[in-house]
Amino acid sequence: MGINIGVIGGGTMGSGIAQVAATVGCKVKLYDTNQAALDKAKGALEKILNRLIEKERIDSDEKNRIQENISYVNNLKDLADSNLTIEAIIENLEIKKKVFSELETYVADDCIIASNTSSLSIASIAASLQKPERCVGIHFFNPAPLMKLVEVIPAIQTSNAVLQKSVQIISDWKKVVAVAKDTPGFIVNRVARPFYGEALRIYEEGIADFATIDWSLKTLGGFRMGPFELMDFIGNDVNYVVTETVFTAFYFDSRYKPSLTQKRFSEAGYFGRKSGKGYYDYDETGKIVQRHSKMVSENQKTKIGEQIFNRILVMLINEAADALFLNVAKAEDIDNAMTKGVNYPKGLLAWADEKGIDWCVTQLDDLYNEYHEDRYRCSPLLRKMNKENNTFF
Ligand code: NAI
């Protein structure tokens, strides 16, 4: 695994990616224009590794080995000997393009130049290179050392050899790779939209409050966090912008429509955990102090809860099925993406098989008939599978 890795940007994602590569034995150069960011990354790694020693996951020799594998540099030229570079700087196309075109003048012809972008198209970034075929999306999830999933995204310019090599390298890093088409949100940030959007819509209709909706997804659905807890955790500002970006990038498809409720929470500075207030209130340690749950009987709660869970689940299944229909990724990769990237209790397509395709189509058609909104249109793939009595797996 002795390849040289250049990581550009030493913030949240870049420092995590550097740790992953160094842990498996790669020589890593972590580059940032801001010395303070590099110092912070170095200090944070020291703390993380000490914690791993406390938990007896690594010993001090392993800690030294990982640390020695990373050097912190502030000159882009220092990445000249890289076999693969992964960029994780500010989410701004013009700035990324500038860094990429400069980087290309330093590295060898066969160096793969990747971006960790969440929302920009890989095609637009690749276009800044003389050799765009060497560019690929390599999208980690936060925190990179803990989250198993990595989406690998070939642009229309990417050569097959570069795609295959990238998949090989990331698999060697003990990550689960899901190959995704260069479309907005790739797999996870597209398929997960209804988890937030439909929960907000259910709240806006006055069907239930935040705590009841969260309860239903956790208790009846087996999700680790409810949608409102998760939005508070991610930050309503960040989550809102992702939704708005995906909505715009899909030419305002109503399925991805952002929520005014979330916009207002974001405008008010109710970001969630980081600001002490969101859909819930938080204490200094980040624990929820107040749950604004209406008093309803257990019986009523279970009945409403089931409706809520079924509605959000079927919207998620529809999104996953449509991603497969439009060849965004293979069925197996779509399911892996959601279980390994955002810890869903089951893959959505496997869940569809379990519930029955007929059940999915009926639920979606019921929603469509009730609201007459394009948002609730059933994926043509589900409809076709239902007619043919097919399953995903
Ligand atoms: P961050 O703000 O924590 O770190 C960005 C780092 O880039 C900063 O240290 C900054 O000094 C440095 N930087 C900015 N301009 C630079 C330049 N021209 N040259 C070198 N360094 C520069 O950002 P974060 O959250 O790590 O995100 C980075 C990228 O990763 C973005 O493209 C984002 O979309 C993507 N991403 C973020 C995820 C997240 O949960 N935070 C998840 C997956 C992808």
Side-chain angles (χ1 to χ4, degrees), residues 8-14 31-34 37-38 87-92 95-96 99 115-120 139-142:
I8 305 166
T12 311
M13 295 308 293
Y31 161 76
D32 204 295
T33 42
N34 179 357
L38 291 178
E87 165 277 316
I89 66 168
I90 183 169
E91 192 75 331
N92 175 307
I95 299 176
K96 286 193 199 277
V99 171
S115 174
N116 184 54
T117 181
S118 290
S119 64
L120 300 167
H139 185 225
F140 287 78
F141 290 78
N142 188 17

Side-chain angles (χ1 to χ4, degrees), residues 73-145:
V73 302
N74 48 26
N75 194 331
L76 196 57
K77 262 190 197 157
D78 291 329
L79 305 191
D81 63 353
S82 304
N83 303 103
L84 163 68
T85 63
I86 303 179
E87 165 277 316
I89 66 168
I90 183 169
E91 192 75 331
N92 175 307
L93 181 60
E94 290 319 308
I95 299 176
K96 286 193 199 277
K97 279 183 149 183
K98 212 165 141 263
V99 171
F100 272 50
S101 55
E102 185 189 337
L103 175 72
E104 195 176 27
T105 64
Y106 305 134
V107 295
D109 276 357
D110 61 354
C111 171
I112 297 176
I113 300 183
S115 174
N116 184 54
T117 181
S118 290
S119 64
L120 300 167
S121 84
I122 309 303
S124 66
I125 298 173
S128 64
L129 297 176
Q130 297 290 326
K131 288 175 163 292
E133 64 275 14
R134 61 158 91 198
C135 186
V136 66
I138 299 187
H139 185 225
F140 287 78
F141 290 78
N142 188 17

Side-chain angles (χ1 to χ4, degrees), residues 238-251:
V238 174
N239 189 257
Y240 180 79
V241 170
V242 175
T243 308
E244 202 175 45
T245 307
V246 171
F247 180 56
T248 310
F250 274 117
Y251 308 110

Side-chain angles (χ1 to χ4, degrees), residues 197-210:
E198 205 53 28
L200 283 156
R201 170 71 187 250
I202 287 167
Y203 164 76
E204 284 169 358
E205 284 184 32
I207 294 171
D209 57 15
F210 307 135

